[in-house]
Amino acid sequence: MVGRPRNAMILTEAERAALRTWTRSRSCSQARALRARIVLACEDEPTNSGVATRLGISRDMVGKWRARFLAERLAGLDEQPRPGRPPAADDDTVAHVLVRTLTPPPPGAGHVWSTRSMAAETGLSQSTVSRVWRAYRVRPGAGATTGQRRAWSLPNRTEEVVGLFIAPPVCVLAVTARTGRGRAVRTCADRLFGQEREAPHVLAVASAFAALRGGRHTRDTPWTGHPALRTFLERAEAAADTGEVVHVLAHGVPAEGRAGCQDVSPRLRWHHVPGPAEWTDETRRLLATEARPAPGSAPDPHRLRDALLTWSTTWTPSADPFTRVAAPRPVYDTPAICGSGNDS
């Protein structure tokens, strides 16, 4: 049966170019790409039945988006507010909760944040705070635990952490490992975090913030961070000791970004994880340690947390990435003063 001709679909050159871009874009949602294909097909096919047969969809769907486009043009293809109760926490509220999680709780609220204290601080309900923390794998006060390693995991003989790079939605952790077996390997004896017990939690919050802001602002923009990542890798490689390989645990780095950093150093080894949750889990496992501060040593004054807090509260889509690289070990090239006149 031949369908009834509908209102003619006449597109401008700018509209046609935008619709074709959506159908070819890898970062565009499948729903938007399908709506663009429907509108483009409606330009050639006057009936909804013909478009539905051509695209393998229902006539009702074709009629809906034909009418929406004719009424509102390109803006009509955007998602419309759905009926029902609006979400209690939008992106800005979630970002506020994550940034607030980096700060110490108020006096009398305990040593770490709880859902009750965070709810009182932000004006949200405990269940909303709990959902935000669960969605982004944030566990305030929870220590890192060891567990089964995945295929992308770093080697067991990890020497130390030498660098951290966060550029939404990219997270990179650089660690070193010995190539030989002649030296005992320390477990998380890292210069980057010192004796900071909350380092895994701080990194989890930072990764969640990067995923939230990166997914919101940079999903449709081209990758432009590889020069900064290259500089970071060069600094991390310089901080590694002689005889160590630099292992890079990364997520969100596209192929072109990796290709631009392949020639930094032959000591670099890439380990890619599927997403920020897996990156956070592996980072927590990597930093798990039973080591205790040496007697008389002062704990690290949470410089990592303070630096990440400053970066998170001032971050914009055009902000520089967060980078932190451990200082290289001193190189003792001068021979020891030992001789007939020295009892050393």
Side-chain angles (χ1 to χ4, degrees):
M1 184 176 79
V2 179
R4 230 178 6 178
R6 301 293 176 178
N7 295 331
M9 183 73 70
I10 301 176
L11 304 176
T12 65
E13 289 298 329
E15 290 173 338
R16 190 177 297 107
L19 293 170
R20 288 174 178 171
T21 299
W22 290 348
T23 60
R24 295 191 296 263
S25 175
R26 294 183 179 180
S27 59
C28 182
S29 66
Q30 293 185 5
R32 180 186 287 271
L34 176 58
R35 296 165 196 166
R37 285 194 293 269
I38 291 174
V39 174
L40 289 172
C42 287
E43 185 181 24
D44 301 328
E45 178 58 55
T47 67
N48 291 345
S49 299
V51 175
T53 302
R54 178 174 169 181
L55 299 180
I57 56 179
S58 67
R59 287 184 298 176
D60 291 340
M61 178 177 286
V62 176
K64 172 183 177 180
W65 294 110
R66 181 195 289 268
R68 183 81 65 81
F69 183 85
L70 290 173
E72 304 177 39
R73 311 308 292 181
L74 291 175
L77 303 186
D78 294 335
E79 287 287 350
Q80 301 295 323
R82 298 180 180 274
R85 181 181 177 183
D90 57 11
D91 284 351
D92 290 335
T93 303
V94 172
H96 175 68
V97 171
L98 293 175
V99 172
R100 193 70 182 93
T101 306
L102 284 174
T103 65
H111 296 290
V112 296
W113 285 105
S114 65
T115 56
R116 184 184 300 276
S117 59
M118 182 59 70
E121 181 72 18
T122 59
L124 302 173
S125 65
Q126 285 185 250
S127 58
T128 300
V129 173
S130 180
R131 283 195 297 270
V132 171
W133 283 348
R134 286 200 309 269
Y136 290 97
R137 311 288 286 273
V138 175
R139 291 172 286 179
T145 57
T146 57
Q148 184 177 4
R149 313 194 73 176
R150 304 294 184 90
W152 57 77
S153 293
L154 297 165
N156 285 319
R157 294 174 61 83
T158 298
E159 178 76 4
E160 60 188 338
V161 178
V162 293
L164 173 66
F165 178 92
I166 299 179
V170 174
C171 286
V172 176
L173 187 73
V175 304
T176 59
R178 283 277 154 184
T179 56
R181 299 184 178 181
R183 179 178 175 182
V185 178
R186 302 187 299 270
T187 303
C188 191
D190 55 276
R191 294 167 290 154
L192 182 61
F193 305 117
Q195 298 292 345
E196 256 184 295
R197 297 299 189 84
E198 64 173 350
H201 161 63
V202 171
L203 292 182
V205 176
S207 177
F209 184 88
L212 174 70
R213 290 309 198 190
R216 178 179 175 184
H217 292 290
T218 62
R219 182 180 296 124
D220 297 325
T221 58
W223 167 257
T224 58
H226 61 273
L229 178 59
R230 181 186 180 91
T231 300
F232 164 80
L233 294 175
E234 291 174 347
R235 293 176 58 202
E237 192 272 340
D241 200 1
T242 304
E244 291 178 337
V245 175
V246 180
H247 295 268
V248 178
L249 182 71
H251 82 78
V253 182
E256 55 267 33
R258 299 194 299 269
C261 301
Q262 290 296 336
D263 59 342
V264 171
S265 171
R267 295 200 293 173
L268 287 182
R269 302 290 186 272
W270 288 87
H271 303 263
H272 299 284
V273 296
E278 291 80 6
W279 183 88
T280 301
D281 286 345
E282 176 65 2
T283 300
R284 291 175 65 88
R285 190 215 55 74
L286 172 69
L287 298 179
T289 177
E290 298 298 328
R292 295 291 185 268
S297 64
D300 189 280
H302 305 306
R303 289 175 296 175
L304 173 64
R305 184 196 64 193
D306 295 341
L308 279 170
L309 177 62
T310 302
W311 176 80
S312 300
T313 53
T314 59
W315 185 84
T316 63
S318 60
D320 293 333
F322 179 89
T323 57
R324 185 178 173 94
V325 178
R329 289 183 185 142
V331 178
Y332 300 102
D333 294 330
T334 304
I337 303 176
C338 296
S340 57
N342 191 294
D343 296 332
S344 299

